Structures are given as C-alpha cells and as structure tokens.
Amino acid sequence: KSQLLYYLSYLADKKKYFSIENKFFEAENLFRKALKEEPDNLDFRSQLALALIEQNKNNEAERNIIEVLKKDS
C-alpha cells in the first residue's frame, strides 16, 4: 500500500509539472497507467479526461467523464 501512496504523490507532482509544461500526452500516459492499477479511481479518470481535453481528444474525454458521472452518482 505504501508503494501506491508514493505513486499517487508522484502523480500529483507530475500533474503540476505537466500543467506548467503543457505535456498533456505524458500526463495521459501516466493516468492510464494509474487506472490499470486502480480502474475504479474516479480522480485518475477525471484527470485523464482533462489531459485528453487539452489534446482535443474530446470523444474519448467525454466517455471518461460519463464513466465518472455514472460511478459517482
């Protein structure tokens, strides 16, 4: 479990970096990897959707947003 907490902290730091550097493709890949570890994590799925939107991958972003809304309600 501590390895997962380390990874989450790492992702949070990376998210800040990606936002500054506009490296949304790398953020997309990291959140996809995170979702493989925790497929039901709504925060990861939401962040993936944001990274996709920044790359104009709107159809895939919409599918992820719908998934979040279904699981969150």
Side-chain angles (χ1 to χ4, degrees):
K1 195 90 175 178
S2 63
Q3 186 178 15
L4 179 59
L5 291 175
Y6 171 78
Y7 189 60
L8 293 175
S9 175
Y10 172 78
L11 285 177
D13 289 342
K14 283 291 187 184
K15 180 185 166 204
K16 292 174 195 169
Y17 169 76
F18 293 131
S19 296
I20 294 169
E21 297 293 321
N22 292 323
K23 294 188 177 187
F24 296 105
F25 176 76
E26 291 178 42
E28 174 189 348
N29 289 332
L30 274 177
F31 285 112
R32 287 187 191 283
K33 287 178 185 176
L35 282 166
K36 285 181 182 178
E37 295 289 322
E38 290 189 42
D40 294 326
N41 188 308
L42 300 182
D43 290 330
F44 291 166
R45 191 160 303 281
S46 297
Q47 292 303 317
L48 173 60
L50 290 174
L52 292 167
I53 289 168
E54 291 294 335
Q55 299 173 84
N56 293 316
K57 297 179 180 180
N58 297 323
N59 290 335
E60 189 176 357
E62 181 180 10
R63 286 192 297 271
N64 279 280
I65 291 167
I66 289 169
E67 186 70 25
V68 169
L69 293 174
K70 283 182 183 177
K71 289 183 179 181
D72 195 37
S73 35

